[in-house]
Amino acid sequence: MSYYISPRFLDKVAVHITKNFLDLPGLKVPLILGIHGRKGEGKSFQCELVFEKMGVEVTHISGGELESPDAGDPARLIRLRYRETAELIKVRGKMCVLMINDLDAGAGRFDEGTQYTVNTQLVNATLMNIADNPTDVQLPGSYDPTPLHRVPIIVTGNDFSTLYAPLIRDGRMEKFYWEPDRDDKIGIVGGIFSEDGLSQREIEQLVDTFLNQSIDFFSALRSRIYDEQIRDFIYEVGVERVSRRVVNSLEGPPQFRKPNFNLSHLIEMGNAMVTEQQRVLTSQLVTEYNRGLYSRNLSQPTATPTQANQPVNNGGNGYHKSQSSNTHLTLETQAQIRELLAQGYKIGIEHVDERRFRTGSWQSCAVGQINGESDAISTLESCLAEYSGEYVRLVGVDPKNKRRVMETIIQRPNS
């Protein structure tokens, strides 16, 4: 399979890595490159393609490794992997990088329900310290005066506003928002289906049909095309015997003929996948099954990016709570607006004061005609400013079925 590397992505990552290996007098180079964007757009995979093209060796850390029952372990792990990578540069004589996938999932704070633990603090502080002193990274309990080789760090995530603000300031982290445009998508999807006989025009038509879907949608679509043959194989062998036939079978692995990759068939399967996505958005069974939890969450204040990045110590127990609010929309809210508009839903905005909130007496804001994402964002920010002392919620409405598909509170009164 021939893979496509976006020229923009290649340029950003290659420049960052190379710049960190050059001695540029009087120039302070950010050690960390933060690549963020929507889920499923291939951030990590594009990085791997760039590393392979440049001949760069990578040391990986997963966001899931940034929490531990033992305080200090994740911070120690980051320091250890950094030192190991610096040693690799010296031994191998080639470029090496440290890559942390899904940093916001391991070290970010999304709302009041997310615990801001001692490890979260230490991970943020450790990365800040390494960015400030990249050649002097010590392990706890030991000191080595020998300067280390500088190791560029690349981190990926969806929403970096959930991270501690001093960590992502420009002197420490250079940010790159990855959102593949139509040309990028055509190139990437063309690589995914390169062995399946689709013409360039068919690739373009497939991308245009599902232009608002992420890259992983097309990978999942190609995988789903094989479902029909696998289903036939299961019932041909027998459901009760398929395990013995597939695992440790003397007959060898089953062989499948090439599926039907006809464009109309791909679009049909893609529409079925989109339907399942919409069912997830519209069912919202959690509000029915967990009424107590839902109502409790509505009564709790929500953290904004400013709050999440300015924690206040709560008795020294490793947890924090936030205090202030502003009218700037979070990246999560902006993503919700984009998703609603992309699926043809209408945007509504409602407000209510604290007294009427208890009775659910919401009032609609006068939003006028919303023609796009920028209109929706500016209108929503205006409502937040106008009703700064009230609850404000974003509403998604399905104009065909005349029903609400989403309600989410995005502002609460200051307590």
Side-chain angles (χ1 to χ4, degrees), residues 122-141:
L122 292 178
V123 165
N124 281 286
T126 297
L127 288 172
M128 289 164 57
N129 177 255
I130 293 175
D132 293 339
N133 304 282
T135 61
D136 183 20
V137 178
Q138 306 297 332
L139 293 174

Side-chain angles (χ1 to χ4, degrees), residues 178-376:
W178 169 236
E179 184 175 29
D181 56 24
R182 181 176 179 272
D183 290 339
D184 289 327
K185 286 191 174 182
I186 289 172
I188 295 171
V189 174
I192 293 173
F193 291 95
S194 61
E195 301 176 353
D196 304 320
L198 293 176
S199 68
Q200 179 69 14
R201 188 186 61 80
E202 289 175 322
I203 292 293
E204 292 176 5
Q205 188 174 343
L206 179 63
V207 169
D208 289 337
T209 304
F210 303 105
L211 193 57
N212 295 311
Q213 295 293 333
S214 60
I215 296 300
D216 64 352
F217 171 86
F218 297 96
S219 295
L221 173 59
R222 186 176 189 273
S223 174
R224 179 170 281 206
I225 294 296
Y226 281 86
D227 287 1
E228 296 167 348
Q229 292 192 47
I230 295 172
R231 185 180 300 109
D232 293 341
F233 165 75
I234 290 173
Y235 287 104
E236 178 185 337
V237 173
V239 173
E240 66 281 356
R241 293 191 297 274
V242 70
S243 176
R244 294 193 299 273
R245 174 65 182 85
V246 172
V247 181
N248 292 328
S249 172
L250 297 177
E251 301 178 53
Q255 300 295 319
F256 299 102
R257 68 182 186 280
K258 198 168 189 63
N260 175 18
F261 282 99
N262 182 274
L263 178 61
S264 60
H265 187 50
L266 286 170
I267 292 176
E268 179 186 354
M269 298 295 288
N271 285 329
M273 292 171 61
V274 171
T275 300
E276 292 301 323
Q277 292 176 353
Q278 292 174 341
R279 283 175 179 168
V280 172
L281 291 174
T282 58
S283 62
Q284 295 188 1
L285 292 177
V286 66
T287 60
E288 178 181 345
Y289 297 158
N290 297 308
R291 292 186 183 276
L293 176 62
Y294 183 68
S295 60
R296 183 169 68 250
N297 285 339
L298 288 180
S299 65
Q300 292 176 346
T302 302
T304 64
T306 301
Q307 296 170 315
N309 292 327
Q310 295 177 354
V312 178
N313 196 298
N314 186 23
N317 61 359
Y319 303 105
H320 295 74
K321 59 186 179 181
S322 50
Q323 293 180 327
S324 62
S325 64
N326 58 38
T327 60
H328 298 295
L329 299 186
T330 64
L331 292 179
E332 181 182 2
T333 301
Q334 295 179 38
Q336 289 174 328
I337 291 173
R338 279 195 297 271
E339 195 163 353
L340 288 170
L341 293 175
Q343 296 182 22
Y345 297 140
K346 299 295 184 182
I347 299 290
I349 308 170
E350 296 178 337
H351 68 97
V352 67
D353 58 27
E354 290 191 80
R355 181 173 63 85
R356 290 188 174 88
F357 175 74
R358 299 185 183 91
T359 60
S361 304
W362 291 84
Q363 295 178 299
S364 296
C365 299
V367 297
Q369 182 68 30
I370 293 178
N371 296 318
E373 179 187 344
S374 59
D375 279 355

Side-chain angles (χ1 to χ4, degrees), residues 386-397:
E386 183 177 356
Y387 301 104
S388 58
E390 299 186 10
Y391 293 90
V392 176
R393 72 180 178 188
L394 175 67
V395 179
V397 179

Side-chain angles (χ1 to χ4, degrees), residues 278 282-283 345 396-406:
Q278 292 174 341
T282 58
S283 62
Y345 297 140
V397 179
D398 183 350
K400 294 181 180 179
N401 298 318
K402 305 296 183 185
R403 66 170 181 170
R404 298 188 174 200
V405 297
M406 187 191 75

